[in-house]
Amino acid sequence: EHIRIKNVKGYDNGNSSYKYGVFLRNVENFIIDGCTIVDSEWSNIAIEECTYGGITNCYVSHEGKQYYKNDADGIIVQNSQYIRIANCIANYSHEDGIDIGGHTGGDIAHISVHNCIAMNGYSNGFPFSVTNDNSFDGYDISFTKCLSYNNDESGIVLYQHPDDVRIAHVTCTENVYGMNIQPENPQNIKLRNNIFAGNSNDNFSTNNISTSVFSLSHTNWGTNPPSSAYQGTSPQIQDPFFVNPGANNYTL
């Protein structure tokens, strides 16, 4: 209980059975703040089965090692509740940038990801997943004021029974897909004031799920919008005016 990890710099981590940079399991009440964790063999920051914690002002990256575990994420939070991730950057993640997941060991719930950047990743920027067999729940998840760009898969992806997810003021650009909702029983997805524009394939990939499972409003689609049935209310069909995308400045 009551763990504080602050201003730690960790590089080339991978000389023990758990090859993470920072790894917490079964911790109640923690803060990881101002840390720089680079080139862990597995995920740079990993949180499992924890409650009431925060990851703030951290930078994580996989940018030098030749060998990583296949699912080496920048930051991963699994089977945990009441966790806030804010003002963090995940760069060159070997798999996902900031991964919120369930899978085993308990529910994943009450998680907020705010003002974070996921960029240059080998997979998705911000994924949220629960479990294939519906044995655990995932709900009350929010992504707000985040930026996801130049990832090899989706800017944001939701799969495996996601429920009660809110996505607001998020920009996804220059990924392969902007936003991807998988057809694995998603429920109650709310999206408002987002930009899904300038992605190389689809800006919004839905696998033809029913529009009744999500609400979508005030979205900037750029010049490659989805079909009208998936544009939501008050769509904007024109490229956003980013300040300087050539210098990775995607503010408006």
Side-chain angles (χ1 to χ4, degrees):
E1 297 181 354
H2 304 289
I3 303 299
R4 300 291 181 269
I5 301 173
K6 186 171 183 178
N7 297 335
V8 169
K9 291 179 170 58
Y11 299 91
D12 298 319
N13 309 291
N15 295 316
S16 66
S17 58
Y18 285 93
K19 301 176 182 181
Y20 302 100
V22 175
F23 176 65
L24 301 183
R25 176 182 285 162
N26 290 325
V27 173
E28 181 178 347
N29 195 327
F30 70 87
I31 293 290
I32 301 171
D33 179 55
C35 295
T36 298
I37 309 295
V38 175
D39 279 339
S40 304
E41 186 172 332
W42 295 359
S43 299
N44 284 305
I45 297 177
I47 307 299
E48 295 183 1
E49 300 169 29
C50 295
T51 54
Y52 301 106
I55 305 170
T56 59
N57 307 307
C58 291
Y59 175 84
V60 296
S61 179
H62 290 112
E63 56 193 37
K65 277 184 172 293
Q66 298 298 315
Y67 301 101
Y68 300 106
K69 190 170 181 282
N70 287 336
D71 56 352
D73 298 314
I75 297 172
I76 184 168
V77 176
Q78 289 190 309
N79 311 112
S80 299
Q81 298 191 37
Y82 300 101
I83 309 296
R84 179 172 173 83
I85 305 170
N87 309 323
C88 292
I89 297 174
N91 190 17
Y92 294 113
S93 299
H94 188 70
E95 190 175 23
D96 298 320
I98 298 178
D99 185 357
I100 310 302
H103 309 304
T104 60
D107 294 350
I108 179 82
H110 314 301
I111 311 292
S112 68
V113 182
H114 177 73
N115 198 38
C116 292
I117 299 174
M119 58 188 182
N120 305 317
Y122 287 5
S123 189
N124 304 291
F126 297 98
F128 170 57
S129 60
V130 190
T131 177
N132 278 322
D133 61 7
N134 210 21
S135 57
F136 300 103
D137 289 331
Y139 55 90
D140 187 19
I141 310 295
S142 66
F143 298 91
T144 55
K145 293 189 176 180
C146 291
L147 169 63
S148 183
Y149 72 92
N150 196 35
N151 296 291
D152 287 352
E153 295 185 24
S154 299
I156 294 184
V157 60
L158 309 178
Y159 61 104
Q160 294 176 349
H161 305 276
D163 189 9
D164 189 15
V165 182
R166 297 168 303 283
I167 299 170
H169 301 283
V170 167
T171 296
C172 295
T173 188
E174 297 189 18
N175 307 286
V176 174
Y177 298 96
M179 171 78 198
N180 188 353
I181 303 177
Q182 294 289 324
E184 299 159 329
N185 197 30
Q187 300 292 328
N188 196 24
I189 313 298
K190 296 182 176 65
L191 305 99
R192 183 176 175 85
N193 295 343
N194 300 298
I195 297 173
F196 303 129
N199 299 284
S200 61
N201 203 327
D202 294 327
N203 287 317
F204 193 52
S205 176
T206 62
N207 299 279
N208 296 316
I209 63 174
S210 170
T211 57
S212 65
V213 305
F214 63 86
S215 63
L216 185 70
S217 65
H218 297 86
T219 304
N220 185 312
W221 296 111
T223 56
N224 184 28
S227 64
S228 58
Y230 290 95
Q231 290 177 15
T233 59
S234 303
Q236 188 174 33
I237 314 300
Q238 66 177 39
D239 287 330
F241 294 115
F242 294 128
V243 171
N244 190 354
N248 300 327
N249 184 346
Y250 294 96
T251 55
L252 292 173

